[in-house]
Amino acid sequence: MVRVYNCHPFASQLIVPVQQEPSTFCCGRDTLFVVSAGCKIEAFNITESGCQPICTFVTLGEVQKITFSEIGDYLATVEEKGKVLSLRVYLNWRGCQARGKSRVGIRMVGHVLQAPFKGTPKDQMEIVEVPLSEPPLSISCCPTKGDLVVGCHNKVVFFRLKEERLDGGSLVLDFERFLIVHVSLNLLEVAFCNGCLALIAELEVLVLKLERTQQVESKNQQQILQEVPGNKGIEKKGSDPMEASLSQGQDEFVLFQSPLELVGEDTW
């Protein structure tokens, strides 16, 4: 006679009441997101007493990757539809009630229209389309600032989370592309936290520390120096040592230290 014993190395376990077989999931501090049937996302609030359903909504494509950011309270997904991978961000997802249907608005990243948001119900979920020149393979969110990082075949695209104030005074979240890192790796996964970028390839892991360099003289400072007559004889100092260190030993990737609109294949 054979006896089978279940061994769980946990003090307790909770069973998530999903109706269909889950394909992938992600979680926040006390929130769990379960993807089932490819396009269905169920959100649960995790407590000591169990899993309480928050809401359920359907994505535009079949979810391949999913991540959640506590900063901004948004979901980012890599979805496939018609053999095409797309990056989408879901804002105000809590507005989709567990019972009934809610309105959904779709817009492009960087295009926050003033008029449609006037009188818009607060329970409307927003889907932000983020076009890319290459198919997205992995995504990550900065847990300290809420920035979104997207890994493609051999480059990483950074999007800064920002707030846009409308004419009515309400705030709307949006993203702004501000950095592209090119690497000589076939990326599988990316992770980003407070300036530290980890890149995972098939046989190696590359960790970068990104630091923002400050320009010695800004436009306002230059105007002040021109107005003060005593500063005419001041000699300019040499280049910033931070910039020199960034330019050395980085043949495998390129850092764009300021917002840059690329032309050609690297455009959106």
Side-chain angles (χ1 to χ4, degrees):
M1 182 177 180
V2 178
R3 294 183 179 180
V4 179
Y5 297 92
N6 294 327
C7 181
H8 301 281
F10 307 103
S12 63
Q13 64 176 352
L14 298 175
I15 299 178
V16 182
V18 293
Q19 299 179 354
Q20 296 175 319
E21 180 181 359
S23 57
T24 184
F25 68 94
C26 71
C27 58
R29 181 175 303 175
D30 55 359
T31 309
L32 174 65
F33 301 91
V34 181
V35 180
S36 59
C39 302
K40 181 181 179 181
I41 297 181
E42 298 179 71
F44 299 89
N45 185 27
I46 306 299
T47 61
E48 295 181 355
S49 59
C51 300
Q52 305 297 329
I54 300 177
C55 64
T56 300
F57 57 94
V58 179
T59 60
L60 299 180
E62 184 176 352
V63 178
Q64 304 295 321
K65 302 280 186 178
I66 184 172
T67 186
F68 173 67
S69 174
E70 296 277 355
I71 309 297
D73 195 29
Y74 69 86
L75 275 171
T77 62
V78 174
E79 303 176 11
E80 180 181 4
K81 186 175 183 180
K83 297 182 180 180
V84 176
L85 293 177
S86 302
L87 175 64
R88 296 185 175 95
V89 177
Y90 292 81
L91 303 173
N92 196 25
W93 55 270
R94 296 181 186 271
C96 297
Q97 302 297 329
R99 296 180 180 178
K101 297 182 179 180
S102 299
R103 297 179 59 182
V104 177
I106 303 177
R107 61 180 173 90
M108 298 291 290
V109 65
H111 294 76
V112 180
L113 302 179
Q114 300 287 339
F117 289 92
K118 295 181 179 180
T120 301
K122 297 181 179 180
D123 61 345
Q124 174 173 307
M125 183 178 70
E126 282 189 87
I127 303 177
V128 181
E129 296 275 359
V130 185
L132 298 167
S133 61
E134 297 182 8
L137 302 178
S138 59
I139 50 177
S140 176
C141 297
C142 178
T144 60
K145 296 182 179 180
D147 295 338
L148 178 62
V149 178
V150 185
C152 300
H153 178 63
N154 54 7
K155 71 178 181 181
V156 182
V157 185
F158 292 76
F159 292 90
R160 180 185 293 112
L161 179 65
K162 64 178 184 178
E163 291 182 343
E164 292 284 348
R165 184 173 295 277
L166 305 182
D167 295 339
S170 59
L171 294 177
V172 177
L173 293 180
D174 198 15
F175 292 88
E176 177 186 10
R177 187 184 64 174
F178 71 96
L179 181 65
I180 299 176
V181 178
H182 294 264
V183 295
S184 58
L185 299 173
N186 294 328
L187 298 179
L188 299 178
E189 294 288 342
V190 295
F192 184 68
C193 178
N194 197 22
C196 293
L197 174 65
L199 310 175
I200 302 177
E202 185 176 356
L203 297 176
E204 56 186 325
V205 175
L206 177 63
V207 180
L208 307 177
K209 175 63 176 179
L210 306 180
E211 296 182 357
R212 179 177 300 177
T213 59
Q214 297 181 355
Q215 296 181 355
V216 179
E217 294 179 352
S218 62
K219 295 182 179 180
N220 295 332
Q221 290 175 342
Q222 290 178 357
Q223 293 177 357
I224 295 175
L225 291 175
Q226 291 176 359
E227 294 175 357
V228 179
N231 291 331
K232 293 183 179 180
I234 297 178
E235 296 181 359
K236 294 183 179 180
K237 296 183 180 180
S239 59
D240 193 351
M242 182 65 67
E243 296 179 356
S245 62
L246 286 174
S247 61
Q248 296 177 355
Q250 297 187 359
D251 297 333
E252 295 183 353
F253 53 89
V254 178
L255 296 182
F256 297 97
Q257 300 178 18
S258 61
L260 182 64
E261 188 67 27
L262 300 179
V263 180
E265 296 181 355
D266 288 329
T267 58
W268 286 0

